[in-house]
Each structure stands twice: as structure tokens, then as C-alpha cells.
Amino acid sequence: MKLILLSGGSGTRLWPLSNDARSKQFLKVLENDEQQLISMVQQLWGQLEASNLSEHSYIATSQSQVEMMQSQIGTDVPLIIEPERRDTFPAIALAAVYLYSVKEVRLSETITIVPVDPLVENGFFETIKELEEVLTESKADLALIGVKPTYPSSKYGYIIPDAADETYESGYKRVRNFREKPTEAQAVELLEQQALWNCGVFSFKLGYLISLLEQLNLPIQYDELRKQYQVLPKISFDYQVVEKARSIVVVPYEGGWKDLGTWNTLTEEMKNNQIGKGTISEDCKNTHLINEIDIPVSIVGLSNIVVAASPDGILVSSKSASTRIKDYIKYNQKPKYEERKWGWVRILDDQIYEDGRCVATKRVGIRAGENLSYRMHTYREEVWTIVNGEGEFLQNGNYMHVKAGNILHIPMKTLHTLRAVKEIEMIVVQSGQSQEVNRIVELYTTWKEITESCIKV
């Protein structure tokens, strides 16, 4: 069985920590056994490794998330990269075609789709392992995992079994129909019908989806489908495939499962009610502070609220109203904080002046042993001030050892790179003319390639 992990999302429901570059699955607000802060995707990948499923897993993600994914779980994890975001059906179709035409996976192989952002117990992955046998025994088009509800919720979709008292040998039930996000009163009725929460796991034979793509006159060769990706319908896998399937079964799962998609549900899983600088007064009850900026935040006398601060903005919201945040995020600004595979970038200031000059000031961190690509800017010059650490700087083939206090000038169209020997922080001032669209031209990415090809002897 091959697993495809879906990693997408635009990052509006957990604003201001999440944004277009950093969706909710990358937020480091959970704790591992060593009391280190980790993200949802890091936790899920660790569970896959513990369940011996990681070596058969691929992650389908967008180009904008590649560097952050590599930063958090490593560069060896196989990624299937969408040319652009288009919803779950195109993403799953591209991943399936990749397995079929590039990896030459057999049409009889079981493929299982798993979202990267739920909070689940390890037993959940044992249930995933059962799906291959369930598909074989049931001869169904699709096998799903349904979670036994703990309360009547209007936030989730529901799977209604065909017969509540009929369970087959492999533990599955036939599916009668679905109900997407009912009212709480309707959810009470669904629970009486033994309905299950739909947790977004889909399992099918590879040949099933390849046949569907052929029926839709879509390419089943990876390179061709990538070329036509922009014309694929923006539609979910649920609407395009699941609702049209003739035979579906569900495996009930009674262990812990939670969608951490809102500040309310996410803060319930935080072991500490404060991350970052600030204070919460003792008379605050069920109040959480998550602060990613250097300015301290104090909360006094306010209960049942969440305060989140990042370079992108500040949120103050009651827990109950936090689900409405996506309706108010209309700032149309570029992300002020991004994780990269080599470190991070924080935008401190971004201005366009009357004479057309644009100036961006950034704080940049490079982890020890990591390096920038060997690159040049077509229409921007930069001044770097190293404020901490030391490293190796290369400009047009000329090598220089740098440390805190060094100031480096990089003209336009000048090849350059920097490798951190000790973790580096620097202030970068980038300037140019706003009407000139800047491009970054990259020649090499690894330090081995750079040193072998570019250093002048």
C-alpha cells in the first residue's frame, strides 16, 4: 500500500500565525515527548515512522510549501509538487498519475489518501493498514475511515452506514450516504443512525482512479498532466469521486481524532497556555497567548480568549468566535514570515517611495551547516549586515570567511551565496526600482556543487 499525504491550505483559519506560505500544519504549537515544540506535520510523520508506514509514503504539496516541508521533516521525504493550488481532486489525480507513470506502481496496488493536519492516536495508523484487506474483501470502489463521534458537531461531515447492525468480517460497514456539516439538531439525528465523522481518509486501487481519469479524457502520464494542470477543475475529491462512487465501505475507528482547524480546537491541545513573550494574569481562565514577535504581550482579566501575534498581524478573539476569523482577513499582504529549508526570513519593513525606489528590510536566519543557493538578483541590490554567527561567503567565485560585524554589498546581477558555519542571523536591506520585476536566478543549491564549480583557485 502507498500513502499520499495531502498538504495544502491557504492559512486563513489560524491567522496571523498561518498565511499563504505557512499553513496550519506547519505551526509549532504541539509538544513531543521531549517537550520540544513541533508542528502537526512533524507529529504525523513521526507517527508514520513509528508505524513503519513512512517508507511507503509521499507528500502531495504546493510549490510554495516545499521549502517549509523540507525544513521541518527533511529533504529525503518524497514530494509530489502541484504546479499551483487547485483543490483535492487535482492534487490526488496528479499524485496517482505520478505513482503510475513515474514510479510504475501496479494498477492493483492500494493507494490511501491521508490529510496531514488531524491530531490522532497511533492506533489510527493500524486502522489505515487494514484498508488494503478491506478493499480486497469488499470489492468496493472506495474504503474510508469514519471516527465515532464524541458529540453532535456541525463542524464535520458525516458518513451514514447502510445498516448500523451489520459489520463484515474485516470490520467494515457498507455506506448508504453522506451528510456534509449538518446543523447540531440534524447531527443529533445522525448519531442515532450510528453515523460517523468523515476524517478525510480515502483508500482505492490505483487502477480505479486511473480509469476515472481516462473517462474524463485527462492524461495519465505525469508530465502531460502537469502541463494541463491549470485547466483541471477546481473541485474536491469528495464531490468529483466519492459522491459518484457506486460502492463505498467505511471502517469505524473509536480512538482519539481531532481536526485542529480552528484556534478553539488547537488551543485545547496545547500543553501550556503561553508560547512567547508576555504575561497572563491569574484571573484569566481558559486564555491562551501565542506570540512570535519580540514585543511582549500582556493579557489582564480576560477569560476564554486567544491572543496570537506574528509579523503578519495580531489577533484578539474569544474562543467561540475564533472560527469566524477567515471572514475578516482581507489585508492582501504578502507573508511577513516564512520558513525555508535552510532557515527563516522575517520581513521587518517593505516600502515604495515617491521616486519609484522599493526597499525591503529583512531579518534572515541560516541554520548551522545550511546554505543559500548560488544565485543572483536581476533587478535588486542587497546589503547584508551579519549580526550573529559566522560562515562562508562566496561572490562571483571569490571566497570570504565572514562573522558578526561584517557588512557585505551585493550588486545587481552578481552571483553570491552564504553558508553558516555557526548559526547566522543577518539584516538584509534589498533595494531597486519598483517597476522592474525582480527575478532570482539560481545556478546550484548544494554546497558541494557550489564549491566544486564556482570557487576560483
Side-chain angles (χ1 to χ4, degrees):
M1 181 169 64
K2 301 290 186 290
L3 269 63
I4 298 171
L5 310 183
L6 287 186
S7 175
S10 58
T12 54
R13 290 194 293 170
L14 292 175
W15 185 91
L17 267 63
S18 62
N19 53 40
D20 279 345
R22 182 173 60 157
S23 301
K24 63 179 179 178
Q25 61 266 30
F26 298 110
L27 303 182
K28 294 183 179 180
V29 295
L30 304 175
E31 281 190 21
N32 60 14
D33 294 337
E34 288 75 41
Q35 297 184 320
Q36 298 170 321
L37 290 177
I38 60 171
S39 67
M40 302 175 205
V41 71
Q42 286 175 316
Q43 175 156 298
L44 182 73
W45 192 259
Q47 290 175 307
L48 288 173
E49 290 178 327
S51 303
N52 297 317
L53 288 170
S54 59
E55 62 186 88
H56 306 292
S57 299
Y58 299 78
I59 298 179
T61 190
S62 62
Q63 184 66 51
S64 63
Q65 294 183 357
V66 169
E67 288 202 34
M68 189 166 294
M69 189 70 73
Q70 292 176 332
S71 170
Q72 294 203 357
I73 59 176
T75 57
D76 296 332
V77 176
L79 303 179
I80 303 171
I81 303 168
E82 300 173 80
E84 60 181 73
R85 290 176 180 162
R86 295 201 69 79
D87 216 325
T88 53
F89 170 68
I92 293 171
L94 186 69
V97 167
Y98 175 83
L99 294 179
Y100 170 66
S101 65
V102 177
K103 292 299 182 179
E104 298 182 345
V105 173
R106 298 188 307 274
L107 292 174
S108 59
E109 190 79 74
T110 298
I111 309 298
T112 299
I113 310 300
V114 182
V116 298
D117 49 11
L119 183 71
V120 294
E121 299 170 349
N122 289 341
F124 187 78
F125 299 95
E126 297 305 313
T127 303
I128 285 178
K129 291 178 181 179
E130 298 170 8
L131 293 177
E132 186 166 22
E133 181 182 349
V134 166
L135 272 179
T136 301
E137 182 183 319
S138 66
K139 295 181 171 54
D141 295 332
L142 294 167
L144 316 179
I145 294 179
V147 178
K148 187 175 182 179
T150 53
Y151 65 99
S153 172
S154 60
K155 296 186 299 182
Y156 305 126
Y158 287 75
I159 302 169
I160 299 97
D162 190 32
D165 59 348
E166 184 179 4
T167 302
Y168 291 85
E169 184 178 344
S170 295
Y172 67 87
K173 297 172 180 284
R174 298 283 176 183
V175 173
R176 185 169 80 242
N177 60 358
F178 300 87
R179 187 65 178 271
E180 185 65 23
K181 296 183 180 178
T183 64
E184 286 195 14
Q186 292 169 334
V188 171
E189 296 178 5
L190 291 170
L191 263 60
E192 292 174 355
Q193 301 175 49
Q194 304 298 308
L196 303 165
W197 283 338
N198 185 359
C199 60
V201 173
F202 312 107
S203 195
F204 50 84
K205 297 296 183 182
L206 179 58
Y208 172 71
L209 192 57
I210 295 299
S211 294
L212 287 180
L213 296 178
E214 289 179 319
Q215 292 170 25
L216 294 169
N217 293 318
L218 292 173
I220 58 173
Q221 297 299 315
Y222 177 70
D223 290 340
E224 286 301 314
L225 190 61
R226 272 187 64 89
K227 290 177 184 177
Q228 298 185 33
Y229 200 74
Q230 73 278 4
V231 300
L232 265 64
K234 281 189 174 183
I235 190 170
S236 72
F237 190 80
D238 300 70
Y239 289 129
Q240 183 66 43
V241 178
V242 179
E243 290 192 355
K244 299 175 182 178
R246 292 171 299 177
S247 174
I248 304 176
V249 297
V250 61
V251 179
Y253 173 70
E254 298 186 6
W257 176 89
K258 181 180 283 189
D259 177 13
L260 303 182
T262 65
W263 278 117
N264 198 12
T265 55
L266 184 60
T267 52
E268 288 175 354
E269 299 305 321
M270 290 174 56
K271 293 185 179 179
N272 296 303
N273 67 342
Q274 179 177 330
I275 297 174
K277 290 184 178 181
T279 55
I280 302 175
S281 66
E282 293 181 358
D283 57 339
C284 296
K285 307 300 180 185
N286 190 31
T287 288
H288 283 78
L289 167 64
I290 304 94
N291 184 9
E292 289 191 333
I293 60 179
D294 292 330
I295 302 172
V297 176
S298 296
I299 306 173
V300 181
L302 295 174
S303 296
N304 302 309
I305 71 164
V306 57
V307 176
S310 86
D312 281 355
I314 298 172
L315 167 71
V316 181
S317 172
S318 68
K319 295 281 185 73
S320 60
S322 63
T323 56
R324 295 159 45 200
I325 183 61
K326 63 180 181 180
D327 299 328
Y328 294 91
I329 306 306
K330 306 185 187 299
Y331 304 123
N332 296 321
Q333 65 181 18
K334 294 179 180 179
K336 299 290 187 180
Y337 177 83
E338 295 183 41
E339 276 188 44
R340 303 289 179 83
K341 61 183 177 182
W342 41 260
W344 51 267
V345 177
R346 178 168 292 173
I347 307 296
L348 302 177
D349 187 59
D350 196 354
Q351 298 289 337
I352 297 178
Y353 294 94
E354 291 182 358
D355 61 0
R357 287 183 308 116
C358 57
V359 180
T361 305
K362 311 173 185 180
R363 192 177 189 96
V364 177
I366 306 174
R367 294 190 301 274
E370 300 290 342
N371 64 274
L372 306 178
S373 62
Y374 197 46
R375 61 177 67 181
M376 70 174 179
H377 294 274
T378 55
Y379 289 106
R380 298 291 183 270
E381 66 175 342
E382 293 185 332
V383 176
W384 295 359
T385 302
I386 311 294
V387 295
N388 189 45
E390 61 180 271
E392 299 173 286
F393 177 67
L394 193 64
Q395 182 168 295
N396 279 347
N398 296 304
Y399 175 90
M400 177 181 174
H401 185 85
V402 295
K403 60 183 180 180
N406 287 148
I407 299 174
L408 308 170
H409 177 232
I410 303 164
M412 296 179 191
K413 300 178 181 177
T414 301
L415 288 164
H416 61 280
T417 184
L418 178 63
R419 176 180 178 270
V421 176
K422 295 180 181 178
E423 185 169 342
I424 281 180
E425 284 194 32
M426 60 182 178
I427 303 298
V428 174
V429 179
Q430 185 184 85
S431 59
Q433 290 295 316
S434 60
Q435 70 269 23
E436 302 284 3
V437 179
N438 185 50
R439 287 194 310 119
I440 297 177
V441 179
E442 296 182 318
L443 291 190
Y444 303 103
T445 56
T446 70
W447 192 247
K448 184 174 184 294
E449 290 175 325
I450 293 168
T451 54
E452 288 179 351
S453 306
C454 304
I455 293 181
K456 295 179 181 179
V457 180

